[in-house]
Amino acid sequence: MKILAIETSCDETAIAVIEARGGFRKPVFRITSNVVASQIAVHRKWGGVVPNLANREHQKNLVPVLKRALQDAALLQNSKIKIQKPKVKRNIQRVGAILEREKDLLKPMRKFLSRYQKPEIDVIAVTNGPGLEPALWVGINFAKALAMAWNKPLVAINHMEGHIISVLLSQNQGSSNTKLPMSKQIPENKFKKSKIVFPAIALLVSGGHTELVLMKNWLRYNILGQTLDDAAGEAFDKVAKMLGLGYPGGPVLARLAEKGKTGIPFPRPMLASKDLNFSFSGLKTAVLYFLQKQRRPFHRGLLADVSASFQQAAVDVLVAKTLRATTMHEPRTIVLGGGVTANNELQAQLQQKLANKFPNVRLLLPEKALASDNAAMVGAAAYFHATKKAFANPRTLKAQGNLRLSFSS
Ligand code: KG4
Ligand code: ZN
């Protein structure tokens, strides 16, 4: 099955083409193209993602990103016929009704549809939540327009489900990850083989979410615990901002932490609570109070120590809750997903503690390039829905900013 996947839930305009086979028993995937156009430069001066700017940027980026993704996958072909068939013409006109609110996208979209042939794909997948609704809508309407023009079925994917399934993908084997504008890489022809043995628990840690999810089988998601306030990535970003490390500061803070000591006694919120929920806002405030007592400008050594101590407090809670969930639910696999998964300390400490306490539980991590937002993970998740013929109705499909993972049938 060939899947074209679209992801616009936050500040990355991402489109990928993936190939999948093997069904539920032996699913394997190959990324044939994976294009991510980042908007960080646009949002940086505001210190965070501005929803309406994201909407405008997605409108601008989607057609060039689609062209690139199809080109990388060798699926972009010029239309042979100079004069369009009436049906194709009619469809191009009808796109206007679907993209009524995406005025900047409509013109390039019509041009694209009249210039290129319908590609050989089987399914179109799109993220319908959670995320910023003005950003999600652009991707959804774009996907609806393509599905209508090309007469392809549509699958709606929960972004967090994508992060879970990202561990089944390999960027190195058979893929070209294009950060626009970059030169094309030739994909190798290999499928990645890795396995989630059920039951599985996923620790999802991103800029918007922190949750522990139990998966008894494919598509069966049960949220065991989640953050009651800030997400882990959000706390990393906010603390980084307090330290003057720019936006998004999570990765910068993590790098700085390598040079620091972990001795500052920041709190480990909810570490002792018996449930599987998290809270990071108190930790963030503790860092703020600590910094208010320090002399400015902060010297480099202090910045590194605060980074290391904050990071350790966050990692302690994330690791402890994952171990608690493992004791309670006895999974055979633990999956890590989301941008914060790229954190080396989180990876190393979780790996080590699991090896000591639960040596038979396997830990699956996404490759670094696939830990942050991308569309390949959306396409891979869509494979399971498409295999079950769980298609979305284009007439009723809508953006759901607070969409939760649920037990889907
Ligand atoms: O999953 P993601 O790319 O986007 C969302 O869905 O939110 O996650 C982005 C988050 C940001 O908050 C970023 O600061 C954080 O992941 N992040 C990190 C690291 N790399 C990215 N946080 C801590 N350590 C890292 N190495
Ligand atoms: Zn994400």
Side-chain angles (χ1 to χ4, degrees):
M1 191 187 295
K2 260 194 198 151
I3 302 169
L4 176 81
I6 299 155
E7 152 67 46
T8 65
S9 67
C10 193
D11 58 348
E12 320 271 14
T13 314
I15 300 187
V17 178
I18 67 147
E19 267 180 71
R21 61 184 192 211
F24 284 93
R25 287 198 47 221
K26 275 191 178 170
V28 285
F29 301 95
R30 184 169 85 89
I31 302 174
T32 41
S33 67
N34 188 18
V35 184
V36 181
S38 171
Q39 304 174 3
I40 284 179
V42 176
H43 299 285
R44 184 169 281 137
K45 57 174 169 291
W46 305 100
V49 183
V50 184
N52 287 339
L53 280 184
N55 172 293
R56 192 190 71 189
E57 289 300 302
H58 286 314
Q59 292 196 46
K60 221 164 35 178
N61 292 340
L62 274 167
V63 169
V65 170
L66 173 67
K67 257 165 100 172
R68 187 55 183 259
L70 291 174
Q71 201 172 35
D72 285 3
L75 290 171
L76 189 71
Q77 278 187 38
N78 283 318
S79 239
K80 285 192 207 92
I81 331 144
K82 280 273 175 298
I83 301 149
Q84 299 284 351
K85 284 185 201 154
K87 197 175 158 225
V88 174
K89 246 182 163 169
R90 209 166 44 240
N91 281 345
I92 294 171
Q93 281 312 313
R94 278 168 62 195
V95 160
I98 300 173
L99 297 179
E100 206 177 22
R101 304 181 71 173
E102 285 77 22
K103 293 272 181 274
D104 295 343
L105 177 56
L106 182 59
K107 214 170 136 193
M109 180 71 164
R110 282 202 167 126
K111 201 165 147 199
F112 173 86
L113 288 172
S114 55
R115 197 156 155 209
Y116 298 102
Q117 281 185 45
K118 160 159 122 178
E120 280 179 32
I121 52 157
D122 303 297
V123 174
I124 295 170
V126 65
T127 305
N128 68 325
L132 305 168
E133 291 198 358
L136 287 162
W137 269 119
V138 189
I140 291 173
N141 285 335
F142 182 67
K144 283 183 187 182
L146 287 178
M148 189 276 297
W150 292 340
N151 193 25
K152 302 284 180 193
L154 204 55
V155 175
I157 293 298
N158 181 310
H159 180 83
M160 303 316 289
E161 182 176 26
H163 276 305
I164 296 177
I165 302 300
S166 71
V167 296
L168 298 178
L169 293 171
S170 175
Q171 180 70 40
N172 303 328
Q173 291 179 330
S175 63
S176 68
N177 180 25
T178 317
K179 293 253 180 207
L180 286 181
M182 233 176 70
S183 65
K184 192 185 156 195
Q185 298 155 35
I186 308 294
E188 289 167 46
N189 200 11
K190 277 190 190 144
F191 283 81
K192 181 181 182 186
K193 293 191 184 73
S194 74
K195 230 162 108 182
I196 297 178
V197 184
F198 297 107
I201 282 179
L203 170 67
L204 301 177
V205 272
S206 69
H209 291 82
T210 303
E211 50 198 31
L212 278 161
V213 180
L214 176 66
M215 268 179 94
K216 289 202 173 151
N217 211 329
W218 296 113
L219 306 177
R220 300 271 190 265
Y221 306 104
N222 209 327
I223 298 180
L224 301 173
Q226 61 197 316
T227 184
L228 304 177
D229 39 58
D230 291 356
E234 190 181 351
F236 268 87
D237 293 339
K238 284 181 176 165
V239 170
K241 198 170 170 181
M242 291 176 207
L243 298 175
L245 303 179
Y247 168 84
V252 186
L253 185 150
R255 240 174 290 132
L256 195 57
E258 287 171 20
K259 301 190 189 86
K261 291 193 278 297
T262 58
I264 308 169
F266 291 132
R268 271 69 175 154
M270 301 189 68
L271 190 67
S273 74
K274 294 270 181 291
D275 60 21
L276 297 172
N277 290 327
F278 301 89
S279 162
F280 290 99
S281 131
L283 169 59
K284 173 195 71 188
T285 312
V287 177
L288 179 70
Y289 289 161
F290 177 85
L291 289 174
Q292 280 171 352
K293 283 188 240 135
Q294 307 304 313
R295 226 189 301 153
R296 286 171 187 261
F298 305 140
H299 60 85
R300 198 84 187 146
L302 178 80
L303 293 183
D305 289 350
V306 171
S307 296
S309 303
F310 159 78
Q311 174 174 269
Q312 191 54 50
V315 168
D316 277 350
V317 182
L318 292 168
V319 170
K321 294 278 175 170
T322 308
L323 293 179
R324 186 189 295 278
T326 308
T327 307
M328 288 166 73
H329 296 278
E330 301 181 341
R332 294 175 69 193
T333 314
I334 290 185
V335 169
L336 239 59
V340 185
T341 297
N343 188 279
N344 288 335
E345 283 305 313
L346 174 63
Q347 284 193 12
Q349 295 183 31
L350 184 59
Q351 213 150 17
Q352 199 206 353
K353 293 249 167 70
L354 274 177
N356 285 343
K357 269 191 93 173
F358 304 99
N360 296 324
V361 177
R362 59 191 283 171
L363 178 64
L364 293 181
L365 298 163
E367 288 179 8
K368 285 226 164 143
L370 296 165
S372 53
D373 289 350
N374 63 83
M377 68 185 198
V378 174
Y383 176 56
F384 298 104
H385 293 259
T387 301
K388 284 193 85 172
K389 304 218 179 314
F391 297 117
N393 179 348
R395 263 184 285 276
T396 53
L397 179 62
K398 58 181 203 304
Q400 287 175 269
N402 297 316
L403 185 66
R404 279 168 61 88
L405 277 172
S406 62
F407 192 91
S408 66
S409 53

